[in-house]
Amino acid sequence: MAEYVVARDIYSEDKFNEEYERIDRPHKTILNHVKEYFSCSRKRVCSALLSLFPIVGWVKIYSVKEWLLSDIVSGVSTGLVAVLQALAYALLASLPPRYGLFATFFPLIIYFFLGTSRHVSVGPFPVLSLMVGAVVNRLVPDNGPPMNITAFEGLTREQQRVLVASSVTFLSGIMQLAMGVFQVGFVVMYLSEPLVSGFTTAAALHILVSQLKFVLGLPVPGLNGPLSIFKTLEIIFQKLGSTNACDVVISAIIMGVVYVVKELNERYKAKLPVAIPIEVIMTVIACGVSYACDLKTTYGIGVVGAMPKGFEAPEAPDPQLFQETAVEAFPLAIVGFAVAYSVAKYYAVKHDYTIDGNQELNAFGVCNIIGALFKCFAGSTVLSRSAIQESTGGKTQVAGLVSAIIVLVFTLAIGFLLEPLPKSVLGSVVIVNLKGMLMQFRDVPYLWRRDKPDCVVWVGTCAASIVLGLDLGLAVGVAIELIGVVLRTQFPRCSVLANIKGTDIYKDKKDYLDTFEPEGMKIFRIPAPLFFANIDFFRKKLEEALGFKPLRVLRKRNKALKVIKKMLKKGELTCTPKGYLNMCPEPYTEVDGEDSVEELDLPTDLKDLPIQVDWRGELPVNVNVPPVDLHSLVLDFAAVSFLDVSALKGLKTALKELIRIEVEVYIVACDPYILEKLHSCSFFDDEVTPSIFFLTLHDAMLNILERHPESVEYKTNLNKIVTSATAHHPNSSVRSRDRNGMEPETRF
Amino acid sequence: MAEYVVARDIYSEDKFNEEYERIDRPHKTILNHVKEYFSCSRKRVCSALLSLFPIVGWVKIYSVKEWLLSDIVSGVSTGLVAVLQALAYALLASLPPRYGLFATFFPLIIYFFLGTSRHVSVGPFPVLSLMVGAVVNRLVPDNGPPMNITAFEGLTREQQRVLVASSVTFLSGIMQLAMGVFQVGFVVMYLSEPLVSGFTTAAALHILVSQLKFVLGLPVPGLNGPLSIFKTLEIIFQKLGSTNACDVVISAIIMGVVYVVKELNERYKAKLPVAIPIEVIMTVIACGVSYACDLKTTYGIGVVGAMPKGFEAPEAPDPQLFQETAVEAFPLAIVGFAVAYSVAKYYAVKHDYTIDGNQELNAFGVCNIIGALFKCFAGSTVLSRSAIQESTGGKTQVAGLVSAIIVLVFTLAIGFLLEPLPKSVLGSVVIVNLKGMLMQFRDVPYLWRRDKPDCVVWVGTCAASIVLGLDLGLAVGVAIELIGVVLRTQFPRCSVLANIKGTDIYKDKKDYLDTFEPEGMKIFRIPAPLFFANIDFFRKKLEEALGFKPLRVLRKRNKALKVIKKMLKKGELTCTPKGYLNMCPEPYTEVDGEDSVEELDLPTDLKDLPIQVDWRGELPVNVNVPPVDLHSLVLDFAAVSFLDVSALKGLKTALKELIRIEVEVYIVACDPYILEKLHSCSFFDDEVTPSIFFLTLHDAMLNILERHPESVEYKTNLNKIVTSATAHHPNSSVRSRDRNGMEPETRF
């Protein structure tokens, strides 16, 4: 059994710094940082270039013998899935399916050179596609004329839509690149787990509703903006009578088969060498059946339709569209990066390599910028496709390059094979894949039990995203989250501490029975940073804990003093050795408002008086001064992690008021950076001095006990201590010089 | 000289709670709070009613003899200034001057019954008036047709404007009342000092520019929205040639005289019984001169014009306008309340009475709601007018009532006297009074030196408010501020602590020379709350401090173990008393990717081995395991004031990784609420147990030293301690039972 034994001097911050010299570590100024950032050496330039083109790093160590085969296998499997997803997600973006192939091909090629993740399969992401679709539908609606944009003149509706999609993609790429260059990729940290979960759940609902029209074969115009999800559902219900039976049958079969096989894949994951690519199989079958039976003309179902071979000529995005879509491009940039980064990080941790957040931003920015010139829409990554790439043995982005070749083959040569593919097949595949995202609803009860604020973030983000649309919903979510952080620190649970008898431990007075609170002392713990939003709250709580308002006491004292001085002058009061004696028979009437308040707030001026006034005793004059039985207050700053200027001013005022009514205030366990800041912000003056800072609560308490031997409890303790101290520490002055590590007392 | 002497047991949280019983304080659930809130007793109803009508409280104690006269004097002075300001601020709101009188009268009457401040003079506030003016100008512009609103049909432009102003006022009143009822008045705390300073400075600039047209006598349409201030200036410069000379002369005289007299007032404040009401005097003179010389027809200057007697019939606000102005009504509600509250609080502190924030919200809400029915525009208070009310001796809101009567007299009877008053006089008076607000620019260098983040808030709010307009600017300011709070905690300055020799004190290793860090131990301090935005940062910093990645080490060890087991089976490895001996001549080649990663992340499974593997020594197999020379890590949680679910998950993962590579982790000085939360969120399992929590750093360190006597330093210290301990504490078991207060050793 070990024991905790310490014998040392009592340390105030000042004394400690006298005894132990601090190493002077110069702080870097902003200028230093800027200089350092822009300093240029050959090595720095090289490593910067290398980090801009990560391919240079890994191509050198690429092991053709070991990796190439698995990369090719993985790339082909991933490529087939990518083609299918490309077509489906293009529908989400309200664009013709073939643009999905472009939006897959170009990012794959660019990411091969610029990306730091080895397993991410870049390309369209359903949530992003839907967000692009919302912009497209707003500017070029299905019903009614498009928005009045000069560049739209002479273009077909389809071309207008492609122009909108590529412009907003270009802009979001610029934003990503800017974030990467200025190294502010940390903003994605604000997308916390509950927020992302709530957001993607809402997105899944939006996607589900948007795909219903394909599954049911109904002509429903794409809507956007607040409440659009409800309006779309309303239209679908109204038109439910004209559902295309063939589409419904196809969808039901596809959904059923894909769902069952996916469940089997999941269950026998360990036994299967590789997951059954059921989506690809079903697509091939559906294509064949549709072509053989000519479903399009026989049953009038919607099919993918014309797939012209080859790419389209590049086209510059339209600056006027940038203005119109700036607000929507920002969430695209953020969400696109956040999703890709989280997937990339998952695989980086799994396979133990590092990814560079800012370089990822650069990579996705360039993907979107160059892609947009070739009529791509915004891309990111899909977890499901990346999972295929990784699980089929993909080792590097060479697999991505192989996928790109597969997509290229479809674009240039065999795309026409997909022409008879029913859109309902694409819709069904998308819907089945939403299962995981929708199942996140189960997070809610878990979060509610664990952490109410997180649950509020989830529900708030999800509800706002469903009702207001994804971009506004995301903004609302981030706002809820930021306010949540502020709120957590805004109403801290302040507490009054007391000593646990016989130890140097201090605990909440209300929590333990056997505590000891010396008379005339109070220990107040502030369990949060102090800043503009909670300094008033803190002062209110402090006054509640004290049981009196220091400013009121000060004013009453000053008022009493004025009366005393006046009466002394008039001879109505005389001074006796026991105190003052009122000679005037009639009571002095207090006249309100004759003193200026400013004067009453000054420190009490005792210098003209013959003897001290005892504020604790009864006053000879008829001014009622509230009694203060406190001589010392200790503020425990251990959990105050920062302090802003508003808080600093508030704290100083509070301290001054207390010091002026003769309450000694001590601050303990203050962070060295805060202490430095107090010095630099001229916190200290004649009244508030640095000597009030002590290292620990116990140091401050011991110091107070020494200064106030009048306390009864103290005196009784003192006798015990003197005996015990001399018995146990006969030469403590020697011991305190003998500093050699900690001293646990152990008996085995 | 006192000394710090403590001898007690070493306490882990568990042990401490065993020894000292905790008082079980049941936490209130949300249900309890709701129940309590809606519980109904006669006393509660009475006090609630009383708090809704504060007048009931103070009328009872109203001392007619002492207070009435000063209230009347103050009310009359304030009333005259209020009339003048009413006219001027109505111009800011782009409304005919007489509506300013209404907007002063009704709030004064209503606040008399509902307000808790005794000194605030309610009525139009220039910044709010300007914000109302922006809405008015947006919906009913000077040039061009008004917005397509049904209720506008058949109304003159002036009537349309009044309808817009009263509708937005009504809506902001509803918002204030709602905030008051739901007791969320604390939101004004987010308007920190730098934010308000930056915002009002920008507002002053807007007001200045908006008044230039009156001062110069130019016809400039009221603009609004982003960049409107620059557009207005552009128009003014273009038209500068057609300036009205008479207006300029009047303005110059008024501004000069008012400015000088105000400076004199300020300088001889102490000597003057009351400040010279120079604005009122100049207005009377200007009225007289304008009437006598008929300036309007002679020089074509703009005058106040027709002032019909009496009030207008009440009119319901228009719900369609609510939709159009909802976004602008919210900042009106917030700013109006925030300004009034801060002025009220200033006087409440000065005169030592309490004001009730939520009741103030109710009062201003009702003022705006009822006022809007009588065609008022949004009101709050003006510091200058409240200062007049207080300095001329106002004691209660009876002074406000008297002011209301003065306004009433002008409205009903003598308003026509003001008809010849030039608008340039009103503009000049407004401009001169902006001095204080504009001088806040001087805050910037002060803030820059003191606290950069606060300076950023000031500049950001001010710039955004100037460029984007006041409402958007305020939103930007609040966003900057909230992000600022999050940023301050997002990148905490984590540090590695070390013991100050011979004490129980631990300081940043880099700050002090004479520190002691026992071999194989590390103390890591986290100086901020842990939450979603910084948990990854914290883990990165921890890994940097450790110098290795725990997960990587774990995987390497597991891989090595698999190889060892395989070789043992094959007989290529034999077990000797000294360890394992590799019998196989050729080195084992590591095959990448054949093990599933999930398996490698599990705890190392040592049970099938004949003897322990010594991870610190050399391994018999060709698997390179990074050496770990750390046996214990202590995390100092003293400054972790909260923890959210994301942080909890991240922390648990980090702890598990460490525990699995046989590093003992201890958490010290953890807040009791956080500990409770960890228990309720199933943070603990077989690997992470509550026994890792210790009361203080020193407790944990002593415990570690006891568990790891192999440390060389420890052994040398041990000898010293055993001697000294037995010498000093012969019967510490007795002493630890003898708990009687702190034990300072003092020698006088």
Side-chain angles (χ1 to χ4, degrees), chain A residues 734-747:
Chain A
V734 177
R735 294 184 71 248
S736 67
R737 251 180 274 120
D738 169 41
R739 289 185 204 107
N740 40 22
M742 288 155 295
E743 312 191 355
E745 187 191 38
T746 41
R747 271 158 297 144

Side-chain angles (χ1 to χ4, degrees), chain A residues 2-8 10-11 16-17 20-23 25 186 189-190 192-193 345 349-350 352 450-451 454 481-483 486-491 493 499-508 510-512 516 525 527 529 532-533 536 552 555 597-598 638-639 641-642 644-645 649 671 673 677 680-682 695 698-699 702 705-706 717-718 720-721 725 728-729 732 735 739-747, chain B residues 2-11 16-17 20-23 25 186 189-190 192-193 345 349-350 352 450-451 454 481-483 486-490 493 500-508 510-512 516 525 527 529 532-533 536 552 555 597-598 638-639 641-642 644-645 649 671 673 677 680-682 695 698-699 702 705-706 717-718 720-721 725 728-729 732 735 739-747:
Chain A
E3 206 177 282
Y4 179 116
V5 181
V6 174
R8 59 167 171 86
I10 294 176
Y11 286 123
F16 186 79
N17 283 330
Y20 298 89
E21 207 186 341
R22 261 193 92 149
I23 302 169
R25 287 196 288 159
F186 66 83
M189 284 199 218
Y190 295 142
S192 71
E193 237 173 275
K345 204 169 68 174
V349 171
K350 187 166 174 183
D352 193 24
R450 297 291 178 263
D451 198 43
D454 275 358
E481 197 172 60
L482 292 184
I483 292 176
V486 176
L487 276 183
R488 276 174 202 246
T489 47
Q490 195 173 0
F491 302 110
R493 277 178 275 223
N499 180 249
I500 302 287
K501 280 187 193 167
T503 70
D504 58 339
I505 298 165
Y506 295 79
K507 291 276 181 186
D508 191 336
K510 291 183 190 158
D511 272 349
Y512 292 91
F516 165 58
R525 179 177 145 79
F532 61 88
D536 283 344
R552 180 177 290 171
R555 285 181 183 164
V597 175
E598 284 77 12
S641 47
F642 69 87
D644 72 354
V645 169
K649 282 185 190 167
D671 188 282
Y673 288 103
K677 182 167 182 178
S680 74
C681 290
S682 51
L695 277 198
H698 201 55
D699 282 294
L702 293 177
L705 284 178
E706 197 193 352
N717 280 327
L718 188 67
K720 280 200 200 117
I721 291 156
H728 298 141
H729 308 280
S732 38
R735 294 184 71 248
R739 289 185 204 107
N740 40 22
M742 288 155 295
E743 312 191 355
E745 187 191 38
T746 41
R747 271 158 297 144
Chain B
E3 208 177 280
Y4 180 115
V5 181
V6 174
R8 58 168 172 85
D9 290 351
I10 295 176
Y11 286 122
F16 185 79
N17 283 331
Y20 298 88
E21 206 187 340
R22 260 192 93 151
I23 302 169
R25 286 196 289 158
F186 66 83
M189 285 198 218
Y190 295 142
S192 72
E193 237 172 276
K345 204 168 71 174
V349 171
K350 187 165 174 187
D352 193 26
R450 297 293 180 262
D451 198 43
D454 275 357
E481 197 172 60
L482 292 185
I483 291 175
V486 177
L487 277 182
R488 275 176 202 243
T489 47
Q490 194 172 1
R493 276 179 277 223
I500 301 288
K501 280 186 192 168
T503 70
D504 58 340
I505 298 165
Y506 295 80
K507 291 276 180 186
D508 191 338
K510 291 184 191 158
D511 272 348
Y512 292 92
F516 165 59
R525 178 176 144 78
F532 61 89
D536 283 344
R552 180 176 292 171
R555 285 183 183 164
V597 174
E598 284 78 11
S641 47
F642 68 89
D644 73 354
V645 169
K649 283 185 189 164
D671 186 282
Y673 288 101
K677 184 170 182 174
S680 74
C681 290
S682 51
L695 276 198
H698 201 54
D699 283 293
L702 293 178
L705 285 178
E706 196 194 354
N717 280 327
L718 189 66
K720 279 200 203 119
I721 290 155
H728 297 139
H729 308 278
S732 40
R735 292 184 70 249
R739 287 181 204 110
N740 40 21
M742 288 155 294
E743 313 191 354
E745 187 191 39
T746 41
R747 271 155 298 143

Side-chain angles (χ1 to χ4, degrees), chain A residues 594-636:
Chain A
E594 73 173 21
D595 324 291
S596 92
V597 175
E598 284 77 12
E599 211 171 294
L600 292 181
D601 289 355
L602 293 176
T604 42
D605 176 19
L606 297 167
K607 64 173 181 292
D608 289 344
L609 290 179
I611 60 163
Q612 273 272 6
V613 178
D614 176 18
W615 296 114
R616 266 159 235 203
E618 207 158 304
L619 286 187
V621 289
N622 195 23
V623 177
N624 186 19
V625 176
V628 173
D629 52 2
L630 193 79
H631 57 69
S632 305
L633 170 74
V634 184
L635 297 177
D636 182 359

